């Protein structure tokens, strides 16, 4: 896994977006289409805002897949990830298709149908984040690293649910759904490239544990270190607890150093 420390959250999003765009363009050039996984949440605000502005992407050749969604939440709910993705990504680029995980549909049937589409071809790039509890998608600790099912219906732990309140998606803990549909850890790792974006000091301990701690289900995002083409992009507050040796080995980027057409 490559660690990149961007000068701020805006540059983090720009770098992550240009890295993803390079993977999308390469896939289209190689086989005529590209397939991507798209995450949500506060970590993806700047990523998606920059991704939809990337030049020279034939979006009509790109198919998108939903990373995770709350069980029982309608797409009209302010915290719905379907709504988030529709407003910030899907409505802004002319995709071939986008496969949503509808929270108000039967969860078991939904993940079965989306999984059947997902497994038809490889995923070129997965955009993900890390939760305050170290979760990857909604795979809360201790995460299942072994199951090969593409999607799972999972209980959400209290730390995960509290994060959603803290970020302003819900008014209280009681309002946060107890379960979610989530791409499995195994399936995320099958992506050819993974771009993980993490801003904010609230995530600093999770970043430290993921980068410097033991690779273990208790820190789900630590598994990214086993992926040859995973890039973790953080801002300085998120990197604030990393050791000196880790920081010295990281790539440092500012806005001027991010190429317009891709981040190599």
């Amino acid at each position: 896994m490559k660690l990149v420390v961007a000068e701020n959250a805006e540059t983090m999003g720009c770098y992550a977006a240009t890295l993803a765009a390079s993977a999308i363009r390469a896939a289209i050039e190689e086989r005529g289409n590209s397939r991507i996984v798209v995450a949500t949440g506060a970590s993806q605000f700047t990523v998606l805002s920059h991704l939809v502005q990337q030049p020279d992407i034939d979006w009509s050749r790109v198919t998108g897949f939903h990373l995770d969604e709350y069980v029982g939440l309608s797409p009209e709910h302010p915290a719905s990830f379907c709504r988030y993705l529709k407003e910030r990504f899907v409505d802004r680029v002319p995709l071939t298709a986008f496969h949503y995980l509808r929270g108000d549909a039967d969860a078991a049937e939904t993940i079965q149908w989306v999984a059947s589409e997902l497994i038809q071809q490889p995923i070129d790039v997965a955009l993900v984040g890390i939760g305050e509890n170290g979760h990857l998608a909604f795979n809360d600790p201790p995460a299942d690293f072994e199951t090969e099912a593409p999607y799972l219906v999972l209980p959400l732990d209290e730390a995960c649910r509290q994060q959603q309140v803290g970020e302003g998606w819900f008014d209280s803990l009681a309002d946060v759904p107890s379960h979610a549909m989530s791409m499995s850890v195994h399936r995320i790792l099958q992506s050819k490239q993974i771009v993980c974006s993490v801003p904010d000091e609230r995530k600093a301990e999770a970043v430290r544990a993921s980068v410097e701690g033991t690779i273990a289900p208790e820190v789900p995002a630590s598994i990214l270190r086993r992926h040859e083409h995973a890039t973790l992009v953080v801002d300085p507050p998120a990197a604030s607890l990393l050791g000196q040796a880790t920081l010295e080995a990281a790539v440092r980027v500012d806005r001027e150093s991010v190429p317009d057409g891709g981040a190599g």
Side-chain angles (χ1 to χ4, degrees):
M1 182 181 74
K2 176 181 179 181
L3 175 64
V4 176
V5 180
E7 63 178 349
N8 52 42
E10 190 67 29
T11 300
M12 176 207 74
C14 183
Y15 186 92
T18 53
L19 191 60
S22 292
I24 293 168
R25 293 190 201 98
I28 293 173
E29 182 176 352
E30 178 182 344
R31 66 169 192 272
N33 67 81
S34 180
R35 290 154 59 86
I36 66 174
V37 172
V38 189
T40 56
S43 68
Q44 303 302 307
F45 286 154
T46 60
V47 179
L48 295 182
S49 69
H50 284 283
L51 183 58
V52 299
Q53 299 178 61
Q54 289 295 304
D56 304 321
I57 294 178
D58 184 352
W59 289 105
S60 69
R61 296 178 180 270
V62 179
T63 297
F65 289 87
H66 195 163
L67 181 69
D68 50 18
E69 178 61 284
Y70 300 105
V71 172
L73 225 57
S74 76
E76 289 73 38
H77 192 285
S80 164
F81 292 157
C82 287
R83 176 175 176 172
Y84 177 114
L85 290 169
K86 185 176 188 297
E87 294 176 350
R88 291 178 170 83
F89 183 62
V90 180
D91 281 356
R92 299 184 65 186
V93 289
L95 299 167
T96 300
F98 191 89
H99 298 292
Y100 288 104
L101 298 168
R102 284 189 61 105
D104 59 349
D106 180 270
E109 293 180 1
T110 298
I111 64 173
Q112 182 178 10
W113 181 82
V114 177
S116 70
E117 296 291 327
L118 179 73
I119 64 176
Q120 290 183 17
Q121 293 184 44
I123 293 296
D124 299 299
V125 59
L127 300 173
V128 301
I130 296 176
E132 292 177 32
N133 64 352
H135 74 201
L136 187 60
F138 269 135
N139 297 282
D140 286 333
D144 186 340
F145 284 177
E146 305 303 324
T147 182
E148 297 185 4
Y151 284 96
L152 303 168
V153 177
L154 298 168
L156 302 179
D157 72 17
E158 185 169 334
C160 171
R161 295 171 68 227
Q162 190 61 57
Q163 177 184 327
Q164 313 313 314
V165 178
E167 291 182 354
W169 300 107
F170 297 91
D171 292 334
S172 70
L173 190 64
D175 295 325
V176 184
S178 62
H179 287 72
M181 295 172 281
S182 176
M183 187 173 288
S184 67
V185 171
H186 179 270
R187 180 52 57 172
I188 292 170
L189 293 178
Q190 301 312 299
S191 306
K192 293 181 179 179
Q193 190 164 332
I194 300 173
V195 180
C196 181
S197 306
V198 189
D200 204 325
E201 190 174 5
R202 293 180 298 107
K203 305 287 185 74
E205 176 53 34
V207 168
R208 186 206 62 75
S210 298
V211 174
E212 298 179 341
T214 302
I215 298 175
E218 288 69 30
V219 185
S222 64
I223 196 70
L224 294 176
R225 283 152 54 195
R226 292 183 179 166
H227 195 287
E228 185 177 1
H229 299 293
T231 303
L232 173 60
V233 193
V234 300
D235 68 357
S240 61
L241 296 181
L242 293 174
Q244 188 62 34
T246 300
L247 292 172
E248 289 176 356
V251 175
R252 299 277 185 162
V253 297
D254 55 27
R255 183 62 187 90
E256 289 70 29
S257 69
V258 181
D260 290 335

